[in-house]
Amino acid sequence: MLRSAVLIAVTFAASPALAGATAWQEISPGVKARLISSDSVSNGVTLAGLELDMPQTTNTYWRIPGESGIPTEFSFAGSTGVVDAVVQWPFPEIATTAGYRDYVYRGPVVFPIELRTNGGGILKAAITLGICSEVCVPARASFTLPVGGGKADPEQSIRLDQAEAATPIAWDRPGQPVASVRATPDGLAVGGLDASVDPKTLIADVGDPSILFETPQKSPDGSLWTLKLLGGAGGNKLEGRAVQLTFMTPNGPYVVSREIAPASR
């Protein structure tokens, strides 16, 4: 089934703190941030999120920033009543600027945060991220928001539902999206892609942000897609590592995990 967000016109305007939101903070000229919450709990889980209001000419970065980006980092130290907090990352734009390959978000964006709670608590969030327009600068913000203990906030729930619809999920379609991932002398070879996978959107993550890959290229015989290591990472041994492959399809973004097999003999 095609995943889609609820369509609604959302106005990103400075406003007083609501039940499910903190007040906006200006974290960089023309860029505001706040913490939002659905404020409802189901089976011990509630959703919060970091909402950024940025111009389309400004960007921040995915969990792996790419070659020139600044990592986006979250800390929830000091939260109470929150058993676990997991940031969910909407699928990023793959941008190549001045020869650098980065994974970015432009304009307004919401990062959902799945919280496990015993019925409600206080979420404390400290965020560090890069904000880039003509120049890139690190920005920091801290928020405190009660979560999961009140009446559901429909406005913030819609924002969070929209953001979740753009977040990669585990493969839930028939068959397998990727048949094989093998090491090569200069990177990875991915075989047996499902027809729905857009190969150019493949992002490979081996758990080390310093190990990055070039844009996928089709092999000469057309059977594989090769992802060459970007400069400076050629000495890394890839076989035996776990790799996460994130990609886009007409049904939305997905993520799968594979172990990297040795190079073909």
Side-chain angles (χ1 to χ4, degrees), residues 171 173 193-198 248-251:
W171 184 255
R173 314 289 295 176
L193 285 185
D194 186 89
S196 67
V197 176
D198 180 354
M248 185 60 76
T249 77
N251 299 297

Side-chain angles (χ1 to χ4, degrees), residues 17-29:
L18 304 174
T22 66
W24 288 103
Q25 292 184 31
E26 186 173 46
I27 61 173
S28 184

Side-chain angles (χ1 to χ4, degrees), residues 223-265:
S223 64
L224 300 170
W225 286 86
T226 60
L227 289 77
K228 292 185 178 180
L229 286 161
L230 283 166
N236 290 281
K237 182 179 179 181
L238 296 178
E239 61 184 64
R241 286 179 179 255
V243 60
Q244 275 195 343
L245 294 173
T246 305
F247 51 85
M248 185 60 76
T249 77
N251 299 297
Y254 287 91
V255 59
V256 298
S257 295
R258 295 287 186 270
E259 181 175 311
I260 301 172
S264 298
R265 301 293 181 185

Side-chain angles (χ1 to χ4, degrees), residues 17-81:
L18 304 174
T22 66
W24 288 103
Q25 292 184 31
E26 186 173 46
I27 61 173
S28 184
V31 178
K32 297 177 295 186
R34 68 176 179 174
L35 209 59
I36 63 175
S37 169
S38 66
D39 221 22
S40 62
V41 180
S42 176
N43 298 320
V45 175
T46 187
L47 273 181
L50 173 69
E51 182 177 11
L52 297 180
D53 183 13
M54 299 186 296
Q56 289 294 336
T57 54
T58 301
N59 70 265
T60 190
Y61 296 92
W62 193 46
R63 59 185 177 83
I64 299 173
E67 288 186 271
S68 65
I70 298 171
T72 300
E73 299 176 342
F74 291 78
S75 171
F76 304 106
S79 299
T80 58

Side-chain angles (χ1 to χ4, degrees), residues 15 19 54 56 77 119 124 143 146-147 164-165 173 184 211 247 261:
S15 61
M54 299 186 296
Q56 289 294 336
K124 289 183 177 291
F143 304 93
V147 292
E164 279 207 303
R173 314 289 295 176
T184 68
I211 300 178
F247 51 85

Side-chain angles (χ1 to χ4, degrees), residues 5 88-90 109-112 158-167:
Q88 300 175 2
W89 300 84
V109 62
V110 173
F111 299 89
I158 288 171
R159 283 185 169 88
L160 291 163
D161 287 345
Q162 289 176 318
E164 279 207 303
T167 299

